[in-house]
Amino acid sequence: NAGVTQTPKFRVLKTGQSMTLLCAQDMNHEYMYWYRQDPGMGLRLIHYSVGEGTTAKGEVPDGYNVSRLKKQNFLLGLESAAPSQTSVYFCASSLWGRDTFYEQYFGPGTRLTVT
Amino acid sequence: KNEVEQSPQNLTAQEGEFITINCSYSVGISALHWLQQHPGGGIVSLFMLSSGKKKHGRLIATINIQEKHSSLHITASHPRDSAVYICAVRIETSGSRLTFGEGTQLTVNP
């Protein structure tokens, strides 16, 4: 199993450009998450999904959109990139249980620079 | 004030030393996670616990729910333990979402 993969690994954008980050998991996990990691701050949740066709806002959703058309894929879009979106982006996935909590599995990260 | 506070922010140790990293939180939680972020950036889950103590190799994690505090211990530290260690909590009202501490940068010198 590949686990959680992210595409691309690195990207440089100019202000105003758009792009989509792809996260894929082959573990049949219901839950998927997008985080950003900035220096001096903990990981912050951007958006998450509890199943195919559903998405929800996290802590810092502004400027991002997401879609989960297939269970194994979770896409993060930046419609008009801004320098404040320079960050390292991590995708994660986990199983779901009504009364059980499961660990999250993380992708390798995407380093995005917006100039 | 962050809901999850870690201490210390940076820690340098000599190989073989016993290491403790602390995590305090200010909200009711259903679970606490310890994660390790390697120098290359990858993040792996070390422990998930809601009470008591867990051990895996040279790593031990403990949690005191009443005191809202958890510790991660590393026995007989080794340079390959050098990484950022991250505490994250699952807040009772937040479903599956995690709230993360800022991390503790550990450097173990040979």
Side-chain angles (χ1 to χ4, degrees):
Chain A
N1 288 351
V4 181
T5 58
Q6 292 183 230
T7 309
K9 289 186 168 51
F10 303 93
R11 185 73 185 268
V12 178
L13 287 179
K14 295 188 188 305
T15 297
Q17 287 185 320
S18 63
M19 78 164 293
T20 300
L21 283 68
L22 171 63
C23 176
Q25 52 93 5
D26 61 2
M27 297 174 283
N28 203 32
H29 285 173
E30 290 86 1
Y31 282 26
M32 296 187 75
Y33 314 82
W34 275 108
Y35 297 98
R36 59 178 290 173
Q37 185 178 43
D38 301 294
M41 305 185 77
L43 287 153
R44 292 181 294 168
L45 182 65
I46 304 171
H47 285 280
Y48 66 104
S49 169
V50 302
E52 183 178 320
T54 70
T55 62
K57 294 180 180 179
E59 185 183 351
V60 288
D62 294 342
Y64 305 96
N65 57 75
V66 287
S67 65
R68 185 132 179 239
L69 299 179
K70 293 183 179 180
K71 186 176 184 179
Q72 63 267 35
N73 296 336
F74 195 28
L75 279 63
L76 178 71
L78 286 72
E79 289 186 347
S80 179
S84 60
Q85 294 177 303
T86 294
S87 188
V88 181
Y89 292 85
F90 287 95
C91 176
S93 71
S94 70
L95 289 168
W96 173 84
R98 186 177 299 279
D99 298 312
T100 305
F101 300 107
Y102 296 93
E103 65 181 302
Q104 292 186 14
Y105 292 81
F106 286 80
T110 295
R111 187 172 295 275
L112 174 66
T113 301
V114 183
T115 61
Chain B
K1 190 179 188 308
N2 291 342
E3 291 169 315
V4 182
E5 297 276 355
Q6 287 185 236
S7 63
Q9 284 187 314
N10 295 282
L11 180 58
T12 300
Q14 289 300 120
E15 184 172 356
E17 286 185 359
F18 181 84
I19 289 163
T20 296
I21 298 170
N22 296 298
C23 176
S24 296
Y25 51 93
S26 57
V27 293
I29 69 168
S30 51
L32 183 143
H33 299 243
W34 282 102
L35 306 108
Q36 180 190 55
Q37 185 167 23
H38 297 288
I43 299 172
V44 295
S45 179
L46 298 174
F47 295 103
M48 183 177 65
L49 63 167
S50 55
S51 64
K53 175 180 174 179
K54 287 191 175 181
K55 184 175 190 290
H56 181 68
R58 295 180 294 105
L59 300 178
I60 304 166
T62 64
I63 188 169
N64 185 318
I65 295 292
Q66 287 72 32
E67 295 187 3
K68 292 186 166 58
H69 182 267
S70 175
S71 293
L72 177 68
H73 305 286
I74 304 175
T75 62
S77 59
H78 190 276
R80 66 174 175 266
D81 297 325
S82 298
V84 176
Y85 291 85
I86 301 169
C87 172
V89 300
R90 193 185 303 273
I91 298 174
E92 282 174 331
T93 56
S94 68
S96 68
R97 290 169 287 163
L98 296 178
T99 300
F100 295 80
E102 292 182 21
T104 295
Q105 173 70 62
L106 171 65
T107 303
V108 182
N109 294 318

